[in-house]
Amino acid sequence: MAQEGGGIDFDPLEDLPCGVLTTDSKGLILHTNSTFCEWTGYHCDEVIGLRRLQDFLSMGGRIFYQTHLAPLLVMQGSVSEVKLDIQHHDKTTIPVVINAKRYQRNGTWFLRVAAFVARDRDKYERELLVSRQNLVGMVAEATRLKKQSEDRALFAEQMIGIVSHDLRNPLSTIRLGIQLLEKRGVTPDQKETLGRVHRAADRASQLIKDLLDFTSARIGSGLAVALKPVDLHHVVALAVEELSLAFPDRRIDHVLCGEGACEADANRVTQALGNLVANAVAYGQSDTAVTVTSTVGSAGWRVSVHNWGVPIAPEAIDQLFMPMVRGVAEDSGNRNVGLGLFIVNEIAKAHGGALHVTSTQELGTEFSVAAPHAGEASG
């Protein structure tokens, strides 16, 4: 015992807010303070010289002591912040964190242990473990839902391809029926009706082509193109001629820049122009011309479609090339399935290029398919 001022005997270990023990090399408790005894529900006389440190551990703690803690103390002489459960006399457990140091005196090895109650830390760790388990469960559920969504999307896209392909046969029958009726002679009213049916069949046919291209781009390896030497100006001129017939109420001008020779898929270029001009006619100012420009230069070739009208909102431009997205408000009278620009962009990519758009009140709106010459990387 040490003496405090006033002559009162004082043991500095007795009233520490942690349990302090000294054991021999086998774990037998040779000394402990009253704090540890209070935690365990024993009187110190029932502990000192009669019980081992291991006796106060749970079964898992005893195994850990024998297989890990004791060998580690022998090897490195000390351990710190080891979490264990101490058993109370009534069999309840107290989570503690211990620091231990092995030392030698007069040729005999001893172990000095300091134990700190860790209820708050234990509660935090358990809550953290529960949160982690919940997070793992949420991630697993999110992964399952994502896979389910991907499977459904793939199935839907495959169904689009199948249905679109199978719809071509009845459309061919409708066209054949129109031709047979026209050959037999029809009245002016009947001819006008057949004309509307024919135009509806053409629109349905174009929609089917768009859906098939969409399916190919989304679940395949992209759109197929057959690159051949072509005169771009000639290809565009023919397309503009056909489009002028399709949109007789709108002037479509063709501007040529540079020599026309390049390598491209003429059918795909015509398809891209059809979508871009249809957009320009639908969304542009009706009393202005649509301008189609074909350009071939040292960097590659470009086909542009320009119109005047209300500009596209800047925040909408990044979304334009996504499928099922339109460049107009939902309540607009110009409605379509929303695949045109997506397909034009895929055509551009299939040529190694890209689809670009600029749209301002001052300069108007212009969509451009730009591609490098065959064998050159796209910039």
Side-chain angles (χ1 to χ4, degrees):
M1 294 284 186
Q3 274 201 335
E4 196 177 23
I8 301 174
D9 290 335
F10 174 71
D11 186 344
L13 301 180
E14 280 300 308
D15 297 319
L16 286 178
C18 64
V20 179
L21 307 88
T22 301
T23 76
D24 64 11
S25 59
K26 303 295 185 181
L28 182 65
I29 297 175
L30 304 176
H31 175 269
T32 181
N33 65 351
S34 58
T35 303
F36 181 80
C37 295
E38 290 172 4
W39 287 353
T40 58
Y42 290 91
H43 191 276
C44 288
D45 292 341
E46 300 176 281
V47 174
I48 297 174
L50 299 174
R51 297 180 182 275
R52 300 175 304 163
L53 173 60
Q54 302 93 299
D55 297 336
F56 292 97
L57 302 179
S58 63
M59 181 58 68
R62 294 175 191 177
I63 295 173
F64 179 79
Y65 183 91
Q66 295 293 338
T67 59
H68 291 79
L69 190 56
L72 192 61
L73 283 165
V74 172
M75 286 189 294
Q76 64 184 33
S78 65
V79 296
S80 60
E81 297 189 12
V82 177
K83 187 172 178 295
L84 295 169
D85 286 334
I86 295 293
Q87 285 192 331
H88 190 273
H89 186 270
D90 62 8
K91 302 304 181 183
T92 59
T93 58
I94 304 169
V96 299
V97 173
I98 69 168
N99 293 338
K101 183 175 182 180
R102 190 168 178 262
Y103 66 97
Q104 189 179 37
R105 181 174 294 174
N106 298 327
T108 303
W109 286 99
F110 298 92
L111 184 67
R112 181 63 60 85
V113 179
F116 303 85
V117 172
R119 285 193 178 92
D120 290 341
R121 171 174 170 174
D122 185 68
K123 180 181 178 182
Y124 169 75
E125 289 176 348
R126 291 180 186 277
E127 290 176 350
L128 190 63
L129 180 60
V130 171
S131 297
R132 181 179 180 182
Q133 291 171 340
N134 290 339
L135 180 60
V136 169
M138 292 170 63
V139 170
E141 178 65 9
T143 302
R144 184 189 70 81
L145 291 175
K146 180 182 178 183
K147 180 65 167 58
Q148 185 182 74
S149 176
E150 290 173 347
D151 289 343
R152 288 177 177 175
L154 179 60
F155 175 75
E157 290 170 0
Q158 290 172 334
M159 286 300 298
I160 288 174
I162 294 169
V163 172
S164 301
H165 184 274
D166 290 346
L167 280 175
R168 290 188 297 182
N169 289 332
L171 276 176
S172 297
T173 303
I174 292 172
R175 283 202 178 95
L176 181 59
I178 293 172
Q179 293 173 4
L180 290 174
L181 289 173
E182 288 176 338
K183 288 180 179 180
R184 291 179 180 178
V186 293
T187 66
D189 288 343
Q190 291 172 334
K191 185 175 182 179
E192 183 179 349
T193 300
L194 288 176
R196 288 198 296 268
V197 174
H198 197 284
R199 288 190 294 273
D202 287 342
R203 288 195 299 271
S205 179
Q206 184 58 52
L207 175 59
I208 289 172
K209 290 178 182 178
D210 287 348
L211 289 172
L212 288 172
D213 284 340
F214 167 74
T215 305
S216 175
R218 288 296 291 263
I219 65 176
S221 55
L223 295 187
V225 294
L227 300 182
K228 294 180 181 179
V230 298
D231 184 321
L232 184 68
H233 299 325
H234 179 66
V235 171
V236 173
L238 291 177
V240 169
E241 183 179 345
E242 293 179 4
L243 290 166
S244 295
L245 295 175
F247 302 105
D249 298 331
R250 197 68 170 272
R251 193 177 93 231
I252 304 176
D253 297 332
H254 180 202
V255 177
L256 295 71
C257 296
E259 297 295 329
C262 67
E263 287 195 13
D265 186 322
N267 291 329
R268 290 297 190 185
V269 171
T270 300
Q271 181 184 4
L273 270 177
N275 279 317
L276 293 178
V277 170
N279 270 6
V281 171
Y283 304 141
Q285 190 173 324
S286 60
D287 58 350
T288 60
V290 173
T291 303
V292 178
T293 304
S294 53
T295 304
V296 179
S298 59
W301 59 267
R302 177 186 296 265
V303 175
S304 304
V305 175
H306 175 277
N307 67 272
W308 297 99
V310 178
I312 302 170
E315 62 271 14
I317 288 180
D318 291 339
Q319 306 295 321
L320 282 178
F321 305 156
M322 297 175 63
M324 312 303 175
V325 173
R326 306 178 183 90
V328 293
E330 288 296 319
D331 58 354
S332 169
N334 297 317
R335 301 295 299 274
N336 55 61
V337 78
L339 293 178
L341 293 179
F342 170 80
I343 291 171
V344 174
N345 191 41
E346 291 297 319
I347 291 173
K349 290 194 292 185
H351 281 85
L355 174 61
H356 306 281
V357 58
T358 58
S359 186
T360 65
Q361 188 69 49
E362 296 76 20
L363 300 178
T365 298
E366 182 176 84
F367 285 87
S368 299
V369 174
H373 288 298
E376 298 181 7
S378 176

